[in-house]
Amino acid sequence: MMLRFAAVRGGLGLLAVRRACLLSRSAHSAPQTEYRPIKKVMVANRGEIAIRVFRACTELGIRTVAVYSEQDTGQMHRQKADEAYLIGKGLPPVAAYLHIPDIIKVAKENGVDAIHPGYGFLSERSDFAQACSDAGVRFVGPSPDTVRKMGDKVEARSLAIGAGVPVVPGTDSPISSLQEAQAFAQTYGFPIIFKAAYGGGGRGMRVVREYEELEENYQRAYSEALTAFGNGALFIEKFIEKPRHIEVQILGDKYGNVIHLYERDCSIQRRHQKVVEIAPGFQLDPQLRDRLHADAVNLARQVGYENAGTVEFLVDKHGKHYFIEVNSRLQVEHTVTEEITDVDLVHAQLHVCEGRSLPELGLKQDKIRVNGCAIQCRVTTEDPARGFQPDTGRIEVSIA
């Protein structure tokens, strides 16, 4: 569950992308040769993000298609779409939304032009992006190759180094044994952190502060990564104590244009899961802010990044920043960026997927301004009286 609070000077006008849609495309000099309008979009997801994308599609006059598991027959996202189809018959709910053949089959049989992956599930799976391409259905996101590069945390790290972006000291490739972990610890000292090489979201992450904890945490991190991502490969980084976690929202098009939409501070976390998101970053040194934005854009240009994404950094107590990963998808917290920039990111995603350029949409860096601040808070269902164990129950009081 998410609560959003926004303070905006002067109120919100029409969103920038929506406003740009009213402009004649002939008034711009951006390339038009790749423009192909989208008439029907499927969202390969459920819940809040599916409904969010459906809303954007409806505003743009695009027909919507939902998919649902047997367990989600009565869910709201099914009711909000113009069309809805069952996938993963006989499968558990999560497995149903990961069943690529069913999703592609529904898309092809029902004239779907593009598939939006939402977040989670298949959103950062390069094989899904490739399956869409092979089926002649557009993937609302980066190219399959970019999704693959960004999904491989070790390759993304190497690309960041090539782009001149600072990184935390770590292994150059996934490790395959406990002995490699021991050698890294002897070279760099403790604390260190294990991370899943092919996933994120806090799973497969283990901090090790002394030698005696190394073997147990290596085994646990490997097991978590294998269960969550189907691949237990790990890499190691020097662990930075009490950093700020700053992420930069980026947007690119098919023509090499890349812009940033400022940053979000997600330093308040629980078990490596973001709990509070603040946009823009609070009390961030202006020079540091500029460096973060520049590094995010440079890295995106280096890989030919297209569509929406987030470049994540850690900032240590000395004000030094380090690249950690790229999320090649829309994020849960994209809404706080929309609040402060007056840019509808889902509209932008769809228009970029159609082949429109950022300048054509009125999205130029010097036109993007911060207007106020916004905060998103996530409610975690844990019981603090029982050591923060997972819990269930009815939410009876909320602040909005």
Side-chain angles (χ1 to χ4, degrees):
M1 178 179 178
M2 296 162 288
L3 304 177
R4 284 186 289 142
F5 307 88
V8 184
R9 296 184 298 273
L12 285 175
L14 291 175
L15 294 177
V17 175
R18 194 178 308 165
R19 189 164 51 232
C21 291
L22 300 177
L23 299 175
S24 168
R25 286 187 285 120
S26 63
H28 300 279
S29 59
Q32 301 295 320
T33 55
E34 294 186 34
Y35 175 71
R36 291 184 296 153
I38 293 173
K39 297 180 180 179
K40 185 184 285 191
V41 167
M42 171 196 286
V43 179
N45 217 298
R46 63 179 177 183
E48 184 272 340
I49 185 56
I51 295 170
R52 166 72 186 92
V53 177
F54 292 156
R55 187 187 79 202
C57 289
T58 300
E59 291 167 347
L60 296 175
I62 297 172
R63 191 166 178 82
T64 56
V65 177
V67 289
Y68 62 94
S69 68
E70 290 177 316
Q71 296 83 358
D72 284 344
T73 300
Q75 290 299 308
M76 188 180 293
H77 79 278
R78 179 190 175 189
Q79 302 165 15
K80 290 287 187 180
D82 296 313
E83 305 171 30
Y85 301 97
L86 176 68
I87 57 171
K89 189 174 182 179
L91 295 175
V94 172
Y97 293 98
L98 296 175
H99 198 272
I100 296 174
D102 264 16
I103 293 171
I104 297 297
K105 181 174 181 287
V106 168
K108 292 179 68 175
E109 289 179 350
N110 295 281
V112 169
D113 297 312
I115 297 178
H116 194 299
Y119 43 68
F121 291 129
L122 296 168
S123 62
E124 292 182 273
R125 288 269 297 270
S126 61
D127 57 338
F128 180 55
Q130 188 63 57
C132 292
S133 178
D134 293 344
V137 178
R138 280 169 277 177
F139 178 78
V140 184
S143 69
D145 187 55
T146 300
V147 176
R148 180 191 61 78
K149 289 176 179 177
M150 296 299 97
D152 181 337
K153 305 306 181 188
V154 176
E155 184 167 358
R157 172 189 172 87
S158 176
L159 289 167
I161 294 171
V165 179
V167 299
V168 180
T171 53
D172 294 327
S173 59
I175 63 170
S176 56
S177 68
L178 176 62
Q179 288 70 32
E180 290 178 87
Q182 292 169 334
F184 181 88
Q186 289 170 358
T187 301
Y188 292 98
F190 293 97
I192 62 173
I193 183 168
F194 290 114
K195 292 185 176 182
Y198 298 101
R203 290 166 293 183
M205 294 178 67
R206 289 277 170 173
V207 177
V208 185
R209 298 186 179 279
E210 54 189 36
Y211 187 82
E212 289 73 20
E213 300 174 352
L214 191 62
E215 182 173 0
E216 178 185 357
N217 281 284
Y218 171 79
Q219 298 295 344
R220 287 190 175 186
Y222 176 87
S223 178
E224 287 176 5
L226 182 64
T227 300
F229 310 114
N231 190 325
L234 303 171
F235 71 102
I236 313 174
E237 287 181 343
K238 180 70 176 174
F239 181 66
I240 298 177
E241 297 278 9
K242 297 181 179 179
R244 291 185 71 175
H245 190 150
I246 307 293
E247 56 188 28
V248 179
Q249 178 70 56
I250 57 169
L251 190 63
D253 64 20
K254 298 177 185 294
Y255 311 104
N257 300 299
V258 180
I259 63 170
H260 69 78
L261 291 95
Y262 293 87
E263 75 288 339
R264 301 182 288 259
D265 189 325
C266 51
S267 303
I268 301 175
Q269 301 185 10
R270 164 85 175 135
R271 294 176 177 169
H272 306 297
Q273 299 288 328
K274 299 165 187 175
V275 177
V276 178
E277 289 271 359
I278 305 171
F282 183 68
Q283 290 187 339
L284 199 60
D285 178 78
Q287 292 183 337
L288 173 60
R289 173 178 278 118
D290 290 343
R291 291 196 298 271
L292 291 168
H293 296 165
D295 282 347
V297 170
N298 288 340
L299 176 56
R301 287 190 178 132
Q302 174 93 352
V303 300
Y305 199 94
E306 177 187 331
N307 220 276
T310 302
V311 184
E312 304 204 8
F313 299 91
L314 295 181
V315 179
D316 68 16
K317 60 184 179 182
H318 304 294
K320 294 182 179 179
H321 67 287
Y322 305 93
F323 165 81
I324 51 174
E325 65 178 358
V326 174
N327 293 130
S328 56
R329 55 172 170 82
L330 196 67
Q331 293 200 216
V332 177
E333 58 273 15
H334 73 278
T335 51
V336 292
T337 293
E338 292 180 322
E339 293 283 3
I340 66 164
T341 61
D342 204 17
V343 174
D344 188 310
L345 286 169
V346 182
H347 281 202
Q349 283 192 293
L350 294 167
H351 286 314
V352 166
C353 190
E354 289 180 314
R356 292 181 174 175
S357 71
L358 297 183
E360 182 183 3
L361 296 171
L363 294 173
K364 298 181 179 180
Q365 193 63 72
D366 60 358
K367 301 295 184 183
I368 307 297
R369 294 283 186 269
V370 171
N371 184 26
C373 63
I375 302 174
Q376 181 186 92
C377 304
R378 305 187 194 180
V379 177
T380 58
T381 54
E382 297 175 328
D383 186 352
R386 295 190 300 147
F388 291 94
Q389 291 183 15
D391 200 5
T392 60
R394 182 185 298 276
I395 296 176
E396 297 180 339
V397 178
S398 65
I399 303 173

